[in-house]
Amino acid sequence: MEQTQTQQNPLGYKSIPGLLRSFAIPSIIATLVSSLYNIVDQVFIGQGVGYLGNAATNVSYPLTTICLALSLLIGIGSASRFSLSLGAGEKNEAARVVGNGICMMVLFGIVYAVIIEIFLYPMLNAFGATAENLPYAVTYSRIIAIGMPFQIVTTSMSNLIRADGSPKYSMTCMLIGAILNTILDPIFIFIFDLGVAGAAWATIIGQFFSFIAAALYIRKFKSIRLKREHIRLHVKDCLNTASLGMSNSLNQVAITLVQIVMNNSLTYYGAMTVYGKDIPLAACGIVMKTNAILLAFFIGISQGSQPIVGFNYGAKQYPRVRKTYKLAIACSFVISTIGFILFQFFPYQIISLFGQGDDLYYEFAIHFMRTFLFMVIVNGVQLISSNFFSAIGKPVKGLLLSMTRQVFFLIPLILILPLFFGINGVLYAGPVADGVAFVVSVVLISLEMKRMRRMERSLS
């Protein structure tokens, strides 16, 4: 049965570079588009409202990263199980996975939106809001909360659509919303003079139409026949899905925790400097969201490789698994090198896209970008390696790698280093954590590749 499935599914016999290109490029575009929702908002808000508006979107940004965490919990978990089931020839199980995933998307989306509306003020205060930017943050967040269910369904479904062999459709779902958001942002902000509220409305209108496109695919799955009885919520299936999506999800949760700790550290130590509280917050938002563009490439490569890795691991074609991983890492190094050059040599040009500020604002923002992102050249290794372990059904190792940079190193460093270096300590924490996480990733992957070679020899 395994051999038959391998021969029938292109994932089992087509060229690895060709497969990775066909899956990763649409995935990269889709991930970039997802990142652009907030970046486009920040660009237009910076031009139309000013740096207080940018500080407000930075304060509310953890709401979006939590939304993405829930989406990845369901989407990556379901897609990993789906690919492993298809590789093993278990099509009915694959259909059950999809049906259960759809139920999880809807439930999690509604519950999360309700939680935001009820607990918005304490959440924003915990995220580092100041008296000056809180009104902007509240206005923006109350509106984007409405779109959270649409975003969770769209992002989760895009992973399943990609795993079903339709990466271009997955990309299209995300593109629809981004294009609409980009068109509506200047109209609502500048023509209708709605400020941050206009940016938020543009975002959720785009998310709604992306959601419609993703929902329409439910009847179009190619690898399975999805029936009404498959669309059920089963506790065991939910736990299995969550276990495989946990590493990617908790990585986003960790990013949220980092953002909260960093925001509060920047306001605390910033108040002791000439920069004050709001300049560091605004600069941080720009740097983190600019870095999100680079991370989108890594995430896209990682998600694009997931169906290839999962299917071939399930089919016991271990050489193809290793080749896919190595190619994904090579691609990430090329992209991260370009990112490093841009961040180190052209920070002013990048920062100026997000609106104007005084000399102090530019001074701190440029220093922030160059310092915090100094080790981006190795960031792709940790992210791709973490998702690799989830794709082969080893969520604990994936979870460990996800937590390595954000929780085990970055958060403690953000808290400790400023005691010695002041606000600069927050900036130094980034490259130190990146370097240590890279070393841990190399060690764990090396051990896994050796184990895979032993399994390959036992099949001979």
Side-chain angles (χ1 to χ4, degrees):
M1 173 65 78
E2 289 174 0
Q3 185 63 29
T4 301
Q5 289 296 322
T6 300
Q7 292 171 347
Q8 289 179 348
N9 197 311
L11 294 172
Y13 64 84
K14 276 195 172 182
S15 158
I16 295 297
L19 283 172
L20 187 60
R21 183 169 56 250
S22 64
F23 277 84
I25 291 176
S27 180
I28 288 169
I29 294 172
T31 312
L32 277 171
V33 164
S34 182
S35 299
L36 285 173
Y37 273 115
N38 285 282
I39 293 170
V40 168
D41 282 353
Q42 188 136 12
V43 168
F44 284 116
I45 287 171
Q47 300 291 341
V49 180
Y51 75 86
L52 280 178
N54 275 336
T57 58
N58 182 40
V59 166
S60 65
Y61 191 55
L63 297 174
T64 301
T65 55
I66 294 171
C67 177
L68 183 57
L70 295 173
S71 302
L72 293 176
L73 180 77
I74 304 165
I76 295 292
S78 297
S80 296
R81 291 184 65 204
F82 181 74
S83 297
L84 288 167
S85 297
L86 288 180
E90 300 170 351
K91 288 196 171 185
N92 190 61
E93 176 65 18
R96 275 172 47 89
V97 168
V98 173
N100 186 77
I102 291 170
C103 293
M104 290 178 71
M105 296 170 205
V106 175
L107 177 63
F108 279 49
I110 294 172
V111 170
Y112 183 51
V114 172
I115 289 173
I116 292 175
E117 296 292 355
I118 294 174
F119 299 105
L120 182 59
Y121 275 94
M123 291 173 80
L124 291 177
N125 285 322
F127 296 162
T130 67
E132 289 77 14
N133 64 52
L134 182 60
Y136 296 101
V138 170
T139 299
Y140 184 78
S141 301
R142 284 222 183 274
I143 298 171
I144 65 167
I146 301 170
M148 292 301 182
F150 304 141
Q151 183 71 356
I152 287 177
V153 172
T154 303
T155 306
S156 301
M157 276 297 298
S158 70
N159 287 282
L160 281 169
I161 293 168
R162 192 181 306 112
D164 189 49
S166 301
K168 290 182 180 178
Y169 191 99
S170 174
M171 174 189 70
T172 301
C173 291
M174 304 302 292
L175 275 176
I176 291 170
I179 292 170
L180 279 173
N181 184 38
T182 304
I183 293 171
L184 294 176
D185 256 337
I187 295 174
F188 288 173
I189 293 174
F190 299 114
I191 297 178
F192 295 158
D193 197 26
L194 294 177
V196 293
W201 283 115
T203 296
I204 66 169
I205 290 171
Q207 288 172 342
F208 174 75
F209 283 96
S210 286
F211 159 77
I212 295 297
L216 289 174
Y217 193 86
I218 293 174
R219 294 181 174 271
K220 299 179 181 180
F221 274 91
K222 300 187 295 186
S223 304
I224 58 170
R225 290 187 62 190
L226 192 62
K227 301 177 182 177
R228 188 180 297 272
E229 59 264 27
H230 292 137
I231 304 179
R232 297 284 187 275
L233 198 65
H234 300 281
V235 175
K236 184 178 179 181
D237 281 332
C238 290
L239 293 175
N240 289 335
T241 293
S243 70
L244 292 184
M246 189 66 71
S247 64
N248 289 272
S249 177
L250 288 184
N251 189 50
Q252 289 299 317
V253 172
I255 290 172
T256 305
L257 292 175
V258 168
Q259 191 74 47
I260 294 169
V261 173
M262 186 175 292
N263 285 351
N264 284 283
S265 295
L266 288 171
T267 54
Y268 178 79
Y269 290 101
M272 303 176 186
T273 69
V274 294
Y275 304 116
K277 294 181 178 181
D278 286 300
I279 283 178
L281 271 181
C284 178
I286 291 170
V287 170
M288 299 300 281
K289 289 177 183 178
T290 302
N291 188 42
I293 297 176
L294 186 64
L295 292 178
F297 282 94
F298 302 149
I299 294 170
I301 293 170
S302 178
Q303 292 181 352
S305 65
Q306 180 270 322
I308 309 168
V309 169
F311 182 91
N312 285 285
Y313 192 86
K316 297 182 173 62
Q317 295 202 104
Y318 302 122
R320 290 176 63 82
V321 174
R322 291 197 303 272
K323 186 174 181 180
T324 302
Y325 173 80
K326 291 177 181 177
L327 184 58
I329 291 295
C331 292
S332 77
F333 271 120
V334 173
I335 294 167
S336 62
T337 300
I338 296 171
F340 176 83
I341 292 170
L342 291 174
F343 296 151
Q344 294 302 315
F345 295 101
F346 303 99
Y348 179 86
Q349 290 81 354
I350 295 172
I351 292 162
S352 62
L353 293 173
F354 293 85
Q356 299 301 309
D358 58 23
D359 291 341
L360 281 176
Y361 167 72
Y362 278 111
E363 177 185 311
F364 184 81
I366 290 170
H367 178 49
F368 196 131
M369 180 169 287
R370 283 178 169 160
T371 306
F372 194 80
L373 303 181
F374 186 74
M375 289 292 289
V376 294
I377 202 162
V378 299
N379 278 2
V381 175
Q382 183 256 347
L383 200 153
I384 291 172
S385 299
S386 172
N387 198 50
F388 173 82
F389 282 114
S390 296
I392 65 174
K394 297 194 172 182
V396 175
K397 289 184 178 179
L399 176 60
L400 176 63
L401 272 187
S402 291
M403 296 295 98
T404 298
R405 178 187 185 268
Q406 313 288 2
V407 176
F408 299 156
F409 301 122
L410 186 54
I411 291 178
L413 287 168
I414 290 173
L415 295 173
I416 295 169
L417 292 183
L419 298 175
F420 303 96
F421 303 104
I423 197 168
N424 282 325
V426 180
L427 280 56
Y428 298 152
V432 175
D434 290 339
V436 179
F438 168 70
V439 173
V440 174
S441 300
V442 170
V443 171
L444 288 180
I445 283 293
S446 297
L447 292 173
E448 185 60 34
M449 292 302 176
K450 290 179 181 178
R451 191 195 67 83
M452 205 178 297
R453 288 189 179 91
R454 289 196 297 269
M455 292 170 59
E456 185 182 342
R457 286 194 294 270
S458 69
L459 294 175
S460 303

